[in-house]
Amino acid sequence: MSNVLYLAVVDDIKKKIISGELSPNDMLNSESELMKEYNVSRMTLRKSLSLLSNQGYIYSIQGKGNFVRKPNTDLYQFRFNEYDSLFPEVDEIKLLSVTIDTASGQVKTDLQLNHDDQVVRIEKLMLSTNEPIAFEILHTQYFANKPVVEDQINFSNYSRTLETKLAFAIKKELEIRIVKAGQYSNRLDLTPDDDVFQISKKTINKDTRKPLTTSIILIKKEFFVITAGTPEEDEVKKIF
Amino acid sequence: MSNVLYLAVVDDIKKKIISGELSPNDMLNSESELMKEYNVSRMTLRKSLSLLSNQGYIYSIQGKGNFVRKPNTDLYQFRFNEYDSLFPEVDEIKLLSVTIDTASGQVKTDLQLNHDDQVVRIEKLMLSTNEPIAFEILHTQYFANKPVVEDQINFSNYSRTLETKLAFAIKKELEIRIVKAGQYSNRLDLTPDDDVFQISKKTINKDTRKPLTTSIILIKKEFFVITAGTPEEDEVKKIF
DNA sequence: CAGTGGTCTAGACCACGTG
DNA sequence: ACGTGGTCTAGACCACTGG
């Protein structure tokens, strides 16, 4: 049992939930009652409830009470980026081409562009000991008057730079499928009929909700495994 | 700007981080300084810092200070269960077989069993409009003296029941790969050489760290897409 | 209206890190 | 010894819910 008061309270309530003494949608005793039960102050008790809420055990409704939450065990987490998540690791990134096109098709849709808008198209190849293991096509809107893009376009890790700079401001989305390598199979020394992982990745401005980049990553199937898990309780951030 | 004090402070500090006024690993002003800056009490300020910490913007070290965190943009979330995550949706689950074996091989390792321990082996087929789209083999230790297992074993959604009951107490891990359908291809009307999603799923007791079940799920590649995203800030739980 | 949770304060003492 | 963050209290007022 923890010698920190609010953690002791957390442990006790958690035990009641796990043991079934409290069931989903049951109301906890009111905060004033719990204060007496555990002999702690309001703020201390509320810190405990806050932790339990963060860890998904309870939720609260103002004016009504605190309730046991139905556990959500279907939520998984994993880490991914196209450079470090492959196995064996990427040791070389080849910039195949950088071109400026007029937006069209899926890319125009994804980036929410107008007819005459231009896009930068970047093709990259990821290699491990000289073997190509992944191929990426990234699109992002081209602004002729913003020199930043042209300055940085020479760096092969352009997209990485972009993301790092904006990291706090962007949200990313992935869609992972199995598809035929198709027209890009030659980049990976495959035949068009070979199956590969296809990861569609979009980055989006968190505030404006505007799409920033859209890319397709093809990964040879032997070089990628997704390892995911339900979040650990310590991964749920600690409370001050 | 929020009329709730602690949220206003959060917004302001967040703005400073996003704008670059504060960079990763920079130390924030001390709490007593921030109290004066924002003209709030210690507890209110700390609630703000707590929220920022939960959302991944800062971390704190006792005795030293609060620091800006390097953003972690490689963390993704997605939801998965073998019944509801396929497309089109599973509308029938067929229990193919339930057998009791002596543990051996990978299963014995996964479940950390001894030589003579017995395991329940359950084979299930998931169908959509009569077409098999996924196949699962689940293993869990068999305890002859625990009648619960035998009572419930007749239900085709055995594993689901098991998980729901223990939901608060278990952790789950997935490994997702592309593999050949191999020896189980006939269950899915495929040839052994066809590629499928293979999801290795383990459930583990959160406290004791003991493995509870291990299963292999094979999914026809056309019927599964992983849709993942970096966590929304509102998904990061609220603070009391 | 009474009871619930939500926000906020002022002040206390403790634990840790650095000099 | 001093400054930092970590825990805790007692009490206040507000906002929401329901009878």
Side-chain angles (χ1 to χ4, degrees):
Chain A
M1 191 97 311
S2 176
N3 53 350
V4 178
L5 267 179
Y6 78 88
L7 289 178
V9 174
V10 165
D11 285 346
D12 192 73
I13 295 179
K14 207 183 278 187
K15 207 169 59 186
K16 288 185 179 171
I17 293 175
I18 291 177
S19 72
E21 187 175 335
L22 290 167
S23 301
N25 296 322
D26 279 1
M27 196 177 102
L28 303 192
N29 289 340
S30 74
E31 297 187 355
S32 51
E33 285 171 323
L34 291 172
M35 284 166 63
K36 289 171 201 157
E37 277 182 42
Y38 293 110
N39 198 28
V40 297
S41 74
R42 178 100 191 275
M43 288 308 269
T44 299
L45 175 74
R46 283 179 62 75
K47 202 184 294 196
S48 306
L49 296 179
S50 171
L51 233 180
L52 287 165
S53 169
N54 279 11
Q55 295 186 355
Y57 286 90
I58 68 170
Y59 61 94
S60 62
I61 302 177
Q62 183 171 165
K64 298 181 82 171
N66 292 287
F67 302 85
V68 177
R69 191 191 291 277
K70 241 190 298 282
N72 191 336
T73 54
D74 290 347
L75 186 71
Y76 293 87
Q77 293 185 341
F78 68 102
R79 290 174 195 284
F80 169 79
N81 73 60
E82 56 270 41
Y83 309 101
D84 307 321
S85 300
L86 312 184
F87 184 81
E89 276 188 21
V90 171
D91 54 24
E92 185 187 356
I93 301 177
K94 255 191 202 163
L95 183 64
L96 296 186
S97 70
V98 179
T99 55
I100 311 233
D101 299 327
T102 303
S104 70
Q106 187 63 42
V107 170
K108 198 177 99 182
T109 309
D110 284 349
L111 296 177
Q112 296 174 11
L113 300 180
N114 298 316
H115 269 304
D116 295 333
D117 289 336
Q118 292 194 297
V119 291
V120 187
R121 175 197 169 92
I122 300 174
E123 290 195 14
K124 280 186 292 188
L125 198 60
M126 277 68 102
L127 304 100
S128 179
T129 59
N130 292 319
E131 184 189 350
I133 59 179
F135 169 68
E136 176 176 9
I137 304 176
L138 179 143
H139 283 92
T140 186
Q141 189 171 6
Y142 175 69
F143 300 101
N145 51 340
K146 283 199 184 165
V148 196
V149 176
E150 287 170 321
D151 288 348
Q152 295 195 344
I153 221 162
N154 300 307
F155 296 91
S156 70
N157 52 354
Y158 170 63
S159 62
R160 189 179 231 172
T161 308
L162 203 162
E163 282 182 13
T164 310
K165 284 218 163 193
L166 302 174
F168 277 119
I170 63 175
K171 165 169 175 49
K172 298 197 275 187
E173 290 173 0
L174 302 181
E175 278 190 11
I176 305 177
R177 299 183 156 76
I178 300 179
V179 303
K180 303 274 176 216
Q183 58 175 315
Y184 302 113
S185 55
N186 58 330
R187 267 79 157 186
L188 296 171
D189 298 337
L190 297 173
T191 69
D193 204 45
D194 283 323
D195 285 320
V196 294
F197 278 107
Q198 173 191 284
I199 302 186
S200 308
K201 176 174 156 185
K202 288 186 205 173
T203 59
I204 298 161
N205 184 305
K206 237 182 216 170
D207 294 326
T208 65
R209 293 274 149 191
K210 273 202 176 178
L212 299 172
T213 71
T214 178
S215 60
I216 300 284
I217 304 161
L218 301 181
I219 307 175
K220 275 193 194 171
K221 62 187 180 210
E222 301 84 1
F223 293 93
F224 186 49
V225 177
I226 301 170
T227 304
T230 48
E232 293 279 345
E233 250 149 50
D234 359 351
E235 286 173 23
V236 182
K237 322 301 174 351
K238 68 159 177 290
I239 297 294
F240 276 64
Chain B
M1 189 101 307
S2 176
N3 53 351
V4 178
L5 268 179
Y6 77 88
L7 289 177
V9 174
V10 165
D11 285 345
D12 192 73
I13 295 179
K14 207 182 278 185
K15 208 168 59 186
K16 288 184 180 171
I17 294 175
I18 291 177
S19 72
E21 188 175 334
L22 289 168
S23 301
N25 296 323
D26 279 1
M27 195 177 101
L28 303 191
N29 290 338
S30 74
E31 297 187 355
S32 49
E33 285 170 323
L34 291 172
M35 283 166 63
K36 289 171 202 157
E37 277 185 46
Y38 293 109
N39 197 27
V40 297
S41 73
R42 177 103 190 275
M43 287 309 267
T44 299
L45 175 74
R46 283 178 63 74
K47 202 185 295 199
S48 306
L49 296 179
S50 171
L51 233 180
L52 287 165
S53 169
N54 279 10
Q55 295 186 355
Y57 286 89
I58 67 170
Y59 60 96
S60 60
I61 303 178
Q62 183 170 164
K64 298 180 83 172
N66 292 286
F67 302 85
V68 177
R69 191 190 291 276
K70 243 191 297 280
N72 191 337
T73 54
D74 291 347
L75 186 70
Y76 293 87
Q77 291 185 343
F78 68 102
R79 287 173 197 285
F80 169 80
N81 73 60
E82 57 270 39
Y83 310 102
D84 307 320
S85 300
L86 311 184
F87 184 82
E89 275 187 22
V90 171
D91 55 23
E92 185 186 356
I93 301 176
K94 254 190 203 163
L95 183 64
L96 297 186
S97 71
V98 178
T99 54
I100 311 233
D101 299 326
T102 304
S104 69
Q106 187 63 41
V107 170
K108 198 177 100 183
T109 310
D110 284 348
L111 296 177
Q112 296 173 11
L113 301 180
N114 298 317
H115 270 305
D116 296 333
D117 289 336
Q118 291 194 296
V119 291
V120 187
R121 174 195 171 95
I122 301 175
E123 291 196 14
K124 281 186 293 187
L125 199 59
M126 277 68 102
L127 302 100
S128 179
T129 58
N130 292 319
E131 185 190 349
I133 59 179
F135 170 68
E136 176 176 9
I137 304 176
L138 179 144
H139 282 92
T140 185
Q141 189 170 6
Y142 176 69
F143 299 100
N145 51 340
K146 284 199 182 165
V148 195
V149 176
E150 286 170 320
D151 288 348
Q152 297 195 342
I153 220 162
N154 299 307
F155 297 91
S156 69
N157 54 355
Y158 170 63
S159 62
R160 188 178 232 172
T161 308
L162 202 162
E163 282 183 11
T164 309
K165 284 219 163 190
L166 302 173
F168 277 120
I170 63 175
K171 164 168 176 49
K172 298 197 273 187
E173 290 173 1
L174 302 181
E175 279 191 10
I176 305 176
R177 301 181 153 75
I178 301 179
V179 303
K180 303 273 177 219
Q183 59 175 314
Y184 302 113
S185 54
N186 59 329
R187 267 80 157 186
L188 296 171
D189 298 338
L190 297 174
T191 69
D193 204 44
D194 283 323
D195 285 320
V196 293
F197 278 107
Q198 174 191 283
I199 302 185
S200 308
K201 175 174 159 187
K202 288 186 205 171
T203 58
I204 299 161
N205 185 306
K206 238 183 218 169
D207 294 326
T208 64
R209 294 273 149 192
K210 273 204 176 175
L212 299 171
T213 71
T214 178
S215 59
I216 300 283
I217 304 161
L218 300 181
I219 308 176
K220 276 193 193 171
K221 60 187 181 212
E222 301 85 0
F223 294 93
F224 187 48
V225 177
I226 301 171
T227 303
T230 49
E232 294 280 346
E233 249 149 51
D234 358 353
E235 284 173 24
V236 182
K237 325 302 175 351
K238 69 159 178 290
I239 297 293
F240 273 65

